[in-house]
Amino acid sequence: DGGITQSPKYLFRKEGQNVTLSCEQNLNHDAMYWYRQDPGQGLRLIYYSQIVNDFQKGDIAEGYSVSREKKESFPLTVTSAQKNPTAFYLCASRGVGLGGTEAFFGQGTRLTVV
Amino acid sequence: SQQGEEDPQALSIQEGENATMNCSYKTSINNLQWYRQNSGRGLVHLILIRSNEREKHSGRLRVTLDTSKKSSSLLITASRAADTASYFCATDAGYGNKLVFGAGTILRVKS
């Protein structure tokens, strides 16, 4: 089945640790995105990538890093520089099409600092 | 910065009533999209309307777009308890594939 998979579903991080969230898609999509969602809030864009080996900062990139070495994969690292990382993280992907295309989302990773 | 701003923030209606949510945005867009999110889950795409379109329908959903006012509305007709969710608009400016979401409207449909 085609889709977008995030793992793990729940992640606990100690203060000062870096953690990496996984996002994999088999939809052959060029563009991939990472969003952060805080309780009762909308989605804020962290990073996005249009193509392999290329990515751009979103609105809240500080304290995060990404890589795009393969078309299928877009992992997000939450570094110790991110002071308030507890949130729900969503990954999305979409294809390129004239007039725009819909995005497909994973089921999210809930990160908690302990 | 958030591109889309939804209104109202929360909406509570009875089953069978219609629900209308509005979205305003600030810059030119290539298309505007509406998504639904059930609590604690990922978002699901509902409908996409392009900048040269004014209205679009999908089942019980009706979306309008007014580019002169930089606003869009989502109408859900004959609502059901299962429509209870958060609804988000997202703007796509085209070049660069940046997809920016608003803060969302929480819809509660009471049975």
Side-chain angles (χ1 to χ4, degrees), chain A residues 33 35 37 94 99 103 107, chain B residues 30 35 37 41 92 97 99:
Chain A
Y33 306 80
Y35 294 92
Q37 186 176 32
R94 63 174 179 159
Q107 289 303 302
Chain B
N30 178 290
Y35 290 79
Q37 182 184 36
R41 307 297 296 273
D92 180 359
N97 275 312
L99 191 61

Side-chain angles (χ1 to χ4, degrees), chain B residues 4-111:
Chain B
E5 297 290 336
E6 283 94 337
D7 167 57
Q9 290 185 324
L11 181 60
S12 183
I13 59 174
Q14 291 292 134
E15 207 165 25
E17 293 180 338
N18 295 344
T20 299
M21 288 159 267
N22 303 297
C23 171
S24 60
Y25 57 92
K26 297 175 184 174
T27 61
S28 296
I29 59 170
N30 178 290
N31 67 79
L32 186 142
Q33 306 181 25
W34 285 91
Y35 290 79
R36 168 193 167 127
Q37 182 184 36
N38 285 78
S39 182
R41 307 297 296 273
L43 277 69
V44 175
H45 181 262
L46 296 175
I47 200 163
L48 180 154
I49 186 165
R50 295 192 166 83
S51 58
N52 61 353
E53 298 175 311
R54 291 297 166 257
E55 188 171 313
K56 207 161 183 181
H57 296 254
S58 177
R60 294 184 295 112
L61 305 181
R62 172 179 168 252
V63 167
T64 61
L65 179 64
D66 187 334
T67 53
S68 67
K69 294 181 180 178
K70 292 185 168 57
S71 67
S72 173
S73 67
L74 170 67
L75 168 68
I76 304 173
T77 60
S79 62
R80 306 166 182 168
D83 293 329
T84 295
S86 293
Y87 292 82
F88 296 90
C89 68
T91 53
D92 180 359
Y95 178 76
N97 275 312
K98 193 173 181 178
L99 191 61
V100 180
F101 286 79
T105 292
I106 300 170
L107 173 66
R108 181 186 172 207
V109 181
K110 296 177 282 186
S111 56

Side-chain angles (χ1 to χ4, degrees), chain A residues 55-107:
Chain A
F55 48 83
Q56 289 81 40
K57 293 182 179 180
D59 299 316
I60 57 164
E62 186 176 350
Y64 301 97
S65 66
V66 293
S67 63
R68 187 85 188 274
E69 296 176 2
K70 299 186 300 182
K71 189 175 186 177
E72 305 79 26
S73 179
F74 191 40
L76 173 74
T77 296
V78 184
T79 75
S80 57
Q82 172 48 242
K83 297 306 176 190
N84 184 23
T86 294
F88 189 50
Y89 291 86
L90 287 159
C91 179
S93 71
R94 63 174 179 159
V96 176
L98 190 64
T101 57
E102 66 183 275
F104 292 79
F105 279 80
Q107 289 303 302

